Amino acid sequence: MTTLPTVFVSHGAPTFANEPGLAGAQLRALGQALDKPQAILVVSPHWMTRSVEITATAQPDTVHDFGGFPRALYAIQYPVAGSPQLAARVKQVLSPRGITASLDVRRGLDHGAWVPLLHMYPDADVPVVQVSIPFDTDEAKALALGRALAPLAAEGVLIVGSGSLTHNLYEFRMGDAHEAGYAREFSLWVRDAVVHGDTHRIAQALKDAPHAARAHPTTEHFLPLLVAAGAAGAPTPTTVLDGGIRHGVLAMESYVFGQRVMLQVQEVTHA
């Protein structure tokens, strides 16, 4: 079986579900271009726990874990199967690395998981398991979690870190098309580190990149990038998906680690 690449996606605001724009079209094209996985493992910043937890339900709910958005968003369902078998396997691969994990048979998929997958795999025909991020995770621990998950990529599992390349909700402006310069500068710095396969530099981004504290007042939306980078058997070649900047400050950039992918993108305005 061919080892799959790993992916980091910027999932933006919940409205990304029904306003896909360029980033959504890119994810749709990516799902069509990659070898179809046996299952998908998603790490999202919207599930943070004391220690690692893994969804182990056969039919995970679509969790609408947000408020104050248009009513149509709450009607969207992503009726994908879970995989108790993969959940058990995830726990198994984490144990030798000293990472204690438990199975959650009730938890569904939060919007950090189902929103990007709605674009990548709109038929909801690939089973999905979600892995939580412990509260005490820092850059080093995020890389270690990714490296512990890495063997799954050779078993037909697509490992997806879902976060946001920039995530300053204090400056979020619904519908604003004007790009904040600092968000673009931070994104370009990280992109350079990614395309050069410099995992150490990526891990230093929140300390060394321009405007890092403004781009990420908190770290949780950046950590999934490090999980995806850590899980990559080979960080290069890399495919960059520049989805632009939404709502003024949310960079919608995504990366494929370990594979150069040619995408045929047709942008749409609504899913």
Side-chain angles (χ1 to χ4, degrees):
M1 181 177 294
T2 302
T3 298
L4 291 171
T6 63
V7 178
F8 167 73
V9 298
S10 290
H11 63 249
T15 49
F16 184 38
N18 58 4
E19 297 176 2
L22 175 59
Q26 290 173 332
L27 292 184
R28 179 73 61 93
L30 178 62
Q32 295 169 345
L34 294 175
D35 291 340
K36 191 169 184 178
Q38 298 295 312
I40 301 167
L41 184 156
V42 182
V43 175
S44 158
H46 296 287
W47 189 21
M48 300 193 75
T49 53
R50 289 188 177 182
S51 59
V52 173
E53 298 186 22
I54 309 158
T55 59
T57 177
Q59 296 294 329
D61 293 332
T62 304
V63 180
H64 300 85
D65 54 329
F66 44 80
F69 287 92
R71 183 176 300 177
L73 280 176
Y74 302 92
I76 296 175
Q77 295 292 314
Y78 190 68
V80 74
S83 176
Q85 296 81 9
L86 175 58
R89 176 62 178 145
V90 173
K91 184 177 180 181
Q92 184 181 43
V93 300
L94 292 179
S95 181
R97 296 297 191 102
I99 300 175
T100 301
S102 59
L103 304 182
D104 188 324
V105 297
R106 293 186 176 88
R107 170 85 184 188
L109 303 177
D110 62 54
H111 79 274
W114 66 262
V115 168
L117 294 181
L118 185 70
H119 301 306
M120 289 182 71
Y121 297 100
D123 294 331
D125 56 352
V126 182
V128 179
V129 164
Q130 187 169 342
V131 173
S132 72
I133 300 176
F135 291 117
D136 66 352
T137 301
D138 57 15
E139 291 91 335
K141 290 181 178 179
L143 280 172
L145 177 59
R147 287 167 179 155
L149 295 170
L152 299 172
E155 300 174 15
V157 178
L158 181 66
I159 299 170
V160 178
S162 176
S164 189
L165 195 58
T166 59
H167 193 258
N168 187 336
L169 295 186
Y170 300 107
E171 300 184 32
F172 178 90
R173 301 184 295 273
M174 181 67 79
D176 192 337
H178 175 73
E179 292 187 0
Y182 79 86
R184 176 59 68 184
E185 289 182 39
F186 177 87
S187 300
L188 291 175
W189 191 98
V190 174
R191 182 192 299 180
D192 184 71
V194 166
V195 299
H196 285 93
D198 193 339
T199 304
H200 174 75
R201 190 174 171 215
I202 301 169
Q204 290 293 113
L206 297 184
K207 300 178 180 70
D208 296 343
H211 316 293
R214 191 176 178 189
H216 285 278
T218 56
T219 64
E220 75 285 342
H221 275 73
F222 190 79
L223 296 175
L225 170 58
L226 294 170
V227 175
T236 56
T238 305
T239 301
V240 176
L241 286 67
D242 182 358
I245 295 177
R246 300 289 293 274
H247 309 298
V249 295
L250 297 182
M252 298 298 293
E253 186 148 306
S254 299
Y255 305 118
V256 182
F257 292 97
Q259 183 174 334
R260 187 166 289 112
V261 184
M262 298 300 295
L263 302 180
Q264 296 184 347
V265 179
Q266 294 183 335
E267 184 174 355
V268 293
T269 56
H270 295 284

Coordinates of all heavy atoms in Angstrom, one line a residue, residues 193-259:
A193 N 9.0 28.3 5.1 CA 9.5 27.2 5.9 C 9.0 25.9 5.5 O 9.7 24.8 5.4 CB 9.2 27.5 7.4
V194 N 7.7 25.9 5.1 CA 7.0 24.6 4.7 C 7.6 24.1 3.4 O 7.9 22.9 3.3 CB 5.5 24.8 4.6 CG1 4.8 23.7 3.9 CG2 4.9 25.0 6.0
V195 N 7.8 24.9 2.4 CA 8.2 24.5 1.1 C 9.7 24.0 1.2 O 10.1 23.2 0.3 CB 8.0 25.5 0.0 CG1 6.5 25.8 -0.2 CG2 8.8 26.8 0.3
H196 N 10.4 24.5 2.2 CA 11.8 24.0 2.3 C 11.9 22.8 3.3 O 13.0 22.4 3.6 CB 12.7 25.2 2.9 CG 13.0 26.2 1.8 ND1 12.3 27.3 1.6 CD2 14.0 26.2 0.9 CE1 12.8 28.0 0.6 NE2 13.8 27.4 0.1
G197 N 10.8 22.3 3.7 CA 10.8 21.2 4.6 C 11.5 21.4 5.9 O 12.0 20.5 6.6
D198 N 11.5 22.7 6.4 CA 12.2 23.0 7.6 C 11.2 22.9 8.8 O 10.7 23.9 9.3 CB 12.7 24.4 7.5 CG 13.7 24.8 8.5 OD1 13.7 24.1 9.6 OD2 14.5 25.7 8.3
T199 N 11.1 21.7 9.3 CA 10.2 21.5 10.4 C 10.5 22.2 11.7 O 9.7 22.7 12.4 CB 10.1 20.0 10.7 OG1 9.7 19.3 9.5 CG2 9.0 19.7 11.8
H200 N 11.8 22.4 11.9 CA 12.3 23.1 13.1 C 11.9 24.6 13.0 O 11.4 25.2 14.0 CB 13.8 23.0 13.2 CG 14.3 23.9 14.3 ND1 14.2 23.6 15.7 CD2 15.0 25.1 14.3 CE1 14.8 24.6 16.4 NE2 15.2 25.5 15.6
R201 N 12.0 25.1 11.8 CA 11.6 26.5 11.6 C 10.1 26.7 11.8 O 9.6 27.7 12.3 CB 12.1 27.0 10.2 CG 11.9 28.5 10.0 CD 12.5 28.9 8.7 NE 12.2 30.3 8.4 CZ 12.0 30.8 7.2 NH1 12.1 30.0 6.1 NH2 11.8 32.0 7.0
I202 N 9.3 25.8 11.2 CA 7.9 25.8 11.4 C 7.5 25.8 12.9 O 6.7 26.6 13.4 CB 7.2 24.6 10.7 CG1 7.5 24.6 9.2 CG2 5.7 24.7 10.9 CD1 7.1 23.3 8.5
A203 N 8.2 25.0 13.7 CA 8.0 24.9 15.1 C 8.3 26.2 15.8 O 7.8 26.4 16.9 CB 8.7 23.7 15.7
Q204 N 9.2 27.0 15.2 CA 9.6 28.2 15.8 C 8.8 29.4 15.4 O 9.0 30.6 15.8 CB 11.1 28.5 15.5 CG 12.0 27.6 16.2 CD 12.0 27.8 17.7 OE1 11.6 26.9 18.5 NE2 12.5 28.9 18.2
A205 N 7.8 29.2 14.5 CA 7.0 30.3 13.9 C 6.4 31.2 14.9 O 6.4 32.4 14.7 CB 6.0 29.7 12.9
L206 N 5.8 30.7 15.9 CA 5.1 31.5 16.9 C 6.1 32.4 17.7 O 5.6 33.3 18.4 CB 4.2 30.7 17.8 CG 3.1 30.0 17.0 CD1 2.2 29.3 18.0 CD2 2.2 30.9 16.1
K207 N 7.4 32.1 17.6 CA 8.4 32.9 18.2 C 9.1 33.8 17.2 O 9.4 35.0 17.5 CB 9.4 32.0 18.9 CG 8.8 31.1 20.0 CD 9.9 30.3 20.6 CE 9.3 29.4 21.7 NZ 8.5 28.3 21.1
D208 N 9.3 33.3 16.0 CA 10.2 34.0 15.1 C 9.5 34.7 13.9 O 10.1 35.6 13.3 CB 11.3 33.0 14.5 CG 12.2 32.5 15.6 OD1 12.2 33.1 16.7 OD2 12.8 31.4 15.4
A209 N 8.4 34.2 13.5 CA 7.7 34.8 12.3 C 7.2 36.2 12.6 O 6.9 36.5 13.7 CB 6.6 33.9 11.9
P210 N 7.2 37.0 11.5 CA 6.7 38.4 11.7 C 5.2 38.4 12.1 O 4.4 37.6 11.6 CB 6.9 39.0 10.3 CG 6.9 37.9 9.4 CD 7.6 36.8 10.1
H211 N 4.9 39.2 13.1 CA 3.5 39.4 13.6 C 2.9 38.2 14.2 O 1.7 38.0 14.2 CB 2.6 39.9 12.4 CG 3.2 41.0 11.6 ND1 3.5 42.3 12.1 CD2 3.7 41.0 10.3 CE1 4.0 43.0 11.1 NE2 4.2 42.3 10.0
A212 N 3.8 37.3 14.7 CA 3.3 36.0 15.2 C 2.2 36.2 16.3 O 1.2 35.5 16.3 CB 4.4 35.1 15.7
A213 N 2.5 37.0 17.2 CA 1.6 37.2 18.3 C 0.2 37.8 17.9 O -0.8 37.5 18.5 CB 2.2 38.1 19.4
R214 N 0.2 38.6 16.8 CA -1.0 39.1 16.3 C -1.7 38.1 15.4 O -3.0 38.0 15.5 CB -0.7 40.4 15.5 CG -1.9 41.2 15.1 CD -1.5 42.5 14.4 NE -2.7 43.2 14.0 CZ -2.7 44.3 13.2 NH1 -1.5 44.8 12.8 NH2 -3.8 45.0 12.9
A215 N -1.0 37.3 14.7 CA -1.6 36.3 13.8 C -2.2 35.2 14.7 O -3.2 34.6 14.3 CB -0.5 35.7 12.9
H216 N -1.6 34.9 15.8 CA -2.1 33.8 16.7 C -2.0 34.3 18.2 O -1.1 34.0 18.9 CB -1.3 32.5 16.6 CG -1.6 31.8 15.3 ND1 -2.7 31.0 15.2 CD2 -1.0 31.8 14.1 CE1 -2.7 30.5 13.9 NE2 -1.7 31.0 13.3
P217 N -3.0 35.0 18.6 CA -3.0 35.4 20.1 C -3.0 34.2 21.0 O -2.6 34.3 22.1 CB -4.3 36.2 20.2 CG -4.6 36.7 18.8 CD -4.1 35.6 17.9
T218 N -3.6 33.1 20.5 CA -3.5 31.8 21.2 C -3.0 30.8 20.2 O -3.0 31.0 19.0 CB -4.9 31.4 21.7 OG1 -5.8 31.3 20.7 CG2 -5.4 32.3 22.8
T219 N -2.5 29.6 20.7 CA -1.7 28.7 19.8 C -2.5 27.6 19.2 O -2.1 27.0 18.3 CB -0.6 28.1 20.6 OG1 -1.2 27.3 21.7 CG2 0.3 29.1 21.3
E220 N -3.7 27.4 19.7 CA -4.4 26.1 19.4 C -4.7 25.9 17.9 O -4.7 24.8 17.4 CB -5.7 25.9 20.2 CG -6.9 26.8 19.7 CD -6.8 28.2 20.1 OE1 -6.0 28.6 21.0 OE2 -7.5 29.1 19.5
H221 N -4.9 27.0 17.1 CA -5.2 26.8 15.7 C -3.9 26.6 14.8 O -4.0 26.3 13.7 CB -6.0 28.0 15.2 CG -7.5 27.8 15.4 ND1 -8.1 27.9 16.6 CD2 -8.5 27.5 14.5 CE1 -9.4 27.7 16.5 NE2 -9.6 27.4 15.2
F222 N -2.8 26.9 15.5 CA -1.5 26.6 14.7 C -1.0 25.2 15.0 O -0.3 24.6 14.1 CB -0.4 27.6 15.2 CG 0.8 27.6 14.4 CD1 0.9 28.3 13.1 CD2 2.0 27.0 14.8 CE1 2.0 28.3 12.4 CE2 3.1 27.0 14.0 CZ 3.1 27.6 12.8
L223 N -1.3 24.6 16.1 CA -0.8 23.3 16.5 C -1.1 22.2 15.5 O -0.2 21.3 15.3 CB -1.2 23.0 17.9 CG -0.8 23.9 19.0 CD1 -1.4 23.5 20.4 CD2 0.8 23.8 19.1
P224 N -2.3 22.2 14.9 CA -2.6 21.1 13.9 C -1.6 21.1 12.7 O -1.4 20.1 12.1 CB -4.0 21.4 13.5 CG -4.6 22.0 14.7 CD -3.5 22.9 15.2
L225 N -1.0 22.3 12.4 CA 0.0 22.3 11.3 C 1.2 21.5 11.8 O 1.8 20.8 10.9 CB 0.4 23.8 11.0 CG 1.6 24.0 10.1 CD1 1.4 23.4 8.8 CD2 1.9 25.5 10.0
L226 N 1.6 21.6 13.0 CA 2.7 20.9 13.5 C 2.4 19.4 13.6 O 3.3 18.6 13.3 CB 3.2 21.5 14.8 CG 3.7 22.9 14.8 CD1 3.9 23.5 16.2 CD2 5.0 23.0 14.0
V227 N 1.2 19.0 13.9 CA 0.8 17.6 13.9 C 1.0 17.1 12.5 O 1.6 16.0 12.3 CB -0.6 17.4 14.4 CG1 -1.0 16.0 14.3 CG2 -0.7 17.9 15.9
A228 N 0.5 17.8 11.5 CA 0.6 17.3 10.1 C 2.0 17.2 9.7 O 2.4 16.3 9.0 CB -0.2 18.2 9.2
A229 N 2.8 18.2 10.0 CA 4.2 18.2 9.6 C 5.0 17.1 10.3 O 5.8 16.4 9.7 CB 4.9 19.6 10.0
G230 N 4.7 16.9 11.6 CA 5.3 15.8 12.3 C 4.9 14.4 11.7 O 5.7 13.5 11.8
A231 N 3.7 14.3 11.3 CA 3.2 13.0 10.7 C 3.8 12.7 9.4 O 3.7 11.5 8.9 CB 1.7 13.0 10.7
A232 N 4.3 13.7 8.7 CA 4.8 13.5 7.3 C 6.1 12.7 7.3 O 7.1 13.1 8.0 CB 5.0 14.8 6.7
G233 N 6.1 11.5 6.7 CA 7.3 10.7 6.5 C 8.4 11.5 5.9 O 9.5 11.4 6.2
A234 N 8.0 12.3 4.9 CA 8.9 13.2 4.2 C 8.2 14.5 4.0 O 7.2 14.6 3.4 CB 9.3 12.6 2.8
P235 N 8.8 15.6 4.6 CA 8.1 16.9 4.6 C 8.0 17.5 3.2 O 7.3 18.4 2.9 CB 8.8 17.8 5.6 CG 10.2 17.1 5.6 CD 10.0 15.7 5.4
T236 N 8.9 17.1 2.3 CA 8.9 17.6 0.9 C 8.8 16.4 0.0 O 9.2 15.3 0.3 CB 10.2 18.4 0.6 OG1 11.3 17.5 0.9 CG2 10.3 19.6 1.5
P237 N 8.3 16.6 -1.3 CA 7.8 17.9 -1.8 C 6.5 18.3 -1.1 O 5.9 17.5 -0.5 CB 7.6 17.5 -3.3 CG 7.3 16.1 -3.3 CD 8.2 15.5 -2.2
T238 N 6.2 19.5 -1.3 CA 5.0 20.1 -0.6 C 4.2 20.8 -1.7 O 4.7 21.4 -2.6 CB 5.4 21.1 0.4 OG1 6.3 20.5 1.4 CG2 4.2 21.7 1.2
T239 N 2.9 20.6 -1.5 CA 1.9 21.4 -2.3 C 1.3 22.5 -1.5 O 0.8 22.2 -0.4 CB 0.8 20.4 -2.9 OG1 1.4 19.4 -3.6 CG2 -0.2 21.2 -3.7
V240 N 1.3 23.7 -2.0 CA 0.7 24.8 -1.3 C -0.6 25.2 -2.0 O -0.7 25.3 -3.2 CB 1.6 26.1 -1.4 CG1 1.0 27.3 -0.7 CG2 3.0 25.8 -0.7
L241 N -1.7 25.3 -1.1 CA -3.0 25.7 -1.6 C -3.2 27.1 -1.0 O -3.6 27.2 0.2 CB -4.1 24.8 -1.2 CG -4.2 23.4 -1.9 CD1 -3.0 22.5 -1.6 CD2 -5.5 22.7 -1.5
D242 N -3.0 28.2 -1.7 CA -3.2 29.5 -1.2 C -4.7 29.9 -1.5 O -5.1 30.3 -2.6 CB -2.3 30.5 -1.9 CG -2.5 31.9 -1.4 OD1 -3.3 32.2 -0.6 OD2 -1.7 32.8 -1.9
G243 N -5.5 29.7 -0.4 CA -6.9 30.0 -0.6 C -7.3 31.5 -0.3 O -8.5 31.8 -0.1
G244 N -6.3 32.3 -0.2 CA -6.5 33.7 0.1 C -6.8 34.0 1.6 O -6.6 33.1 2.4
I245 N -7.2 35.2 1.9 CA -7.5 35.6 3.3 C -8.9 36.0 3.3 O -9.4 36.9 2.6 CB -6.5 36.8 3.7 CG1 -5.1 36.2 3.7 CG2 -6.9 37.3 5.1 CD1 -4.1 37.3 4.1
R246 N -9.7 35.4 4.2 CA -11.1 35.7 4.4 C -11.3 36.5 5.6 O -10.6 36.5 6.6 CB -11.9 34.4 4.5 CG -11.8 33.4 3.3 CD -12.5 33.9 2.1 NE -13.9 34.0 2.3 CZ -14.7 32.9 2.0 NH1 -14.2 31.8 1.6 NH2 -16.0 33.0 2.2
H247 N -12.4 37.3 5.6 CA -12.8 38.2 6.7 C -11.7 39.0 7.2 O -11.6 39.3 8.4 CB -13.4 37.3 7.8 CG -14.4 36.3 7.3 ND1 -15.6 36.8 6.7 CD2 -14.5 35.0 7.3 CE1 -16.4 35.7 6.4 NE2 -15.7 34.6 6.7
G248 N -10.8 39.4 6.3 CA -9.7 40.4 6.7 C -8.5 39.7 7.3 O -7.4 40.1 7.0
V249 N -8.7 38.7 8.1 CA -7.6 38.2 8.9 C -7.4 36.7 8.9 O -6.4 36.2 9.5 CB -7.7 38.7 10.3 CG1 -7.6 40.2 10.4 CG2 -9.0 38.1 11.0
L250 N -8.3 35.9 8.3 CA -8.1 34.4 8.3 C -7.5 33.9 7.1 O -8.1 33.8 6.0 CB -9.5 33.8 8.5 CG -10.3 34.1 9.8 CD1 -11.6 33.4 9.8 CD2 -9.4 33.8 11.0
A251 N -6.2 33.6 7.2 CA -5.5 33.0 6.0 C -6.0 31.6 5.7 O -5.9 30.7 6.6 CB -4.0 33.0 6.2
M252 N -6.5 31.3 4.5 CA -7.1 30.0 4.2 C -6.0 29.1 3.5 O -6.4 28.3 2.6 CB -8.3 30.2 3.3 CG -9.4 31.0 4.0 SD -10.0 30.2 5.5 CE -10.8 28.8 4.7
E253 N -4.8 29.2 3.8 CA -3.7 28.5 3.2 C -3.7 27.0 3.8 O -3.8 26.8 5.0 CB -2.4 29.1 3.4 CG -1.3 28.5 2.6 CD -0.2 29.5 2.2 OE1 -0.6 30.5 1.5 OE2 1.0 29.3 2.5
S254 N -3.5 26.1 2.9 CA -3.4 24.7 3.2 C -2.2 24.1 2.6 O -1.7 24.6 1.6 CB -4.7 23.9 2.8 OG -5.8 24.4 3.4
Y255 N -1.7 22.9 3.1 CA -0.5 22.3 2.6 C -0.7 20.8 2.5 O -1.4 20.2 3.4 CB 0.7 22.6 3.6 CG 1.0 24.0 3.9 CD1 0.9 24.5 5.1 CD2 1.3 24.9 2.8 CE1 1.1 25.8 5.4 CE2 1.6 26.2 3.1 CZ 1.5 26.7 4.4 OH 1.7 28.0 4.6
V256 N 0.0 20.2 1.5 CA 0.1 18.8 1.4 C 1.6 18.4 1.6 O 2.4 18.9 0.9 CB -0.4 18.2 0.1 CG1 -0.3 16.7 0.0 CG2 -1.8 18.7 -0.2
F257 N 1.9 17.7 2.7 CA 3.3 17.3 2.9 C 3.6 15.9 2.3 O 2.8 15.0 2.5 CB 3.5 17.2 4.5 CG 3.4 18.5 5.2 CD1 2.2 18.9 5.8 CD2 4.5 19.3 5.3 CE1 2.2 20.1 6.5 CE2 4.5 20.5 6.0 CZ 3.3 20.9 6.6
G258 N 4.7 15.9 1.5 CA 5.1 14.6 1.0 C 4.6 14.3 -0.4 O 4.9 13.2 -0.9
Q259 N 3.9 15.2 -1.1 CA 3.4 14.9 -2.4 C 3.2 16.2 -3.1 O 2.6 17.1 -2.6 CB 2.2 14.1 -2.4 CG 1.6 13.7 -3.7 CD 0.5 12.7 -3.6 OE1 0.3 12.0 -2.7 NE2 -0.4 12.7 -4.7

